[in-house]
Amino acid sequence: MPRKELRSSDAPAPGGTYSQGIDTGDFVFTSGQGPNDPKTGQPVGDDIATQTRRTLDNLKAVLAEAGLGFSHVVKVTTHLEHLKRDFAGYDAVYREYFSEPYPVRTTVGSDLMNILVEIDVVARRP
């Protein structure tokens, strides 16, 4: 299967030269999603819990375009603006969306542009 672009109106439109997601047949790769509202394009909330929920909802929308959900995710990469301060709050929300066996995950501190969290995932089609 050739790679197919995934595009959801329930996730923010790309702000640059990238796709929301790419479906390769066996795997789906998402771009880094942040806490931006799909309708306004603006970040929501000023706390890690609110921003993590919006970010995960954006990822959920992109995965849904491929007929997948969080149970298909095998790899998560998370960037936190304030790693030490916000990790526990981020992780608490993360547990609302993912269940065991959890995907592998890398979480790093990053210099983000006016947001607290950015997440991308890799999902595998059953």
Side-chain angles (χ1 to χ4, degrees):
M1 171 183 188
R3 63 187 196 152
K4 175 186 168 197
E5 179 182 18
L6 300 173
R7 186 177 297 223
S8 173
S9 60
D10 292 327
T17 52
Y18 62 89
S19 299
Q20 290 175 331
I22 293 289
D23 187 339
T24 67
D26 290 335
F27 291 93
V28 168
F29 300 83
T30 71
S31 64
Q33 292 291 313
N36 296 41
D37 181 280
K39 292 177 181 39
T40 68
Q42 297 301 308
V44 301
D46 57 2
D47 64 278
I48 194 62
T50 302
Q51 288 202 4
T52 300
R53 276 190 189 87
R54 178 73 260 166
T55 299
L56 290 170
D57 286 344
N58 291 340
L59 286 165
K60 181 179 178 181
V62 176
L63 290 170
E65 288 298 311
L68 302 176
F70 288 120
S71 65
H72 300 102
V73 171
V74 295
K75 171 75 170 115
V76 177
T77 303
T78 301
H79 297 265
L80 296 176
E81 176 72 26
H82 305 287
L83 180 61
K84 291 179 183 177
R85 182 190 80 185
D86 287 342
F87 181 81
Y90 150 76
D91 192 57
V93 174
Y94 178 92
R95 290 169 184 267
E96 296 173 13
Y97 288 77
F98 291 94
S99 58
E100 293 185 24
Y102 295 112
V104 297
R105 180 173 78 181
T106 301
T107 306
V108 298
S110 295
D111 186 16
L112 301 174
M113 292 180 59
N114 303 315
I115 59 175
L116 300 175
V117 60
E118 182 174 341
I119 304 170
D120 66 86
V121 302
V122 178
R124 185 170 192 282
R125 185 167 273 107

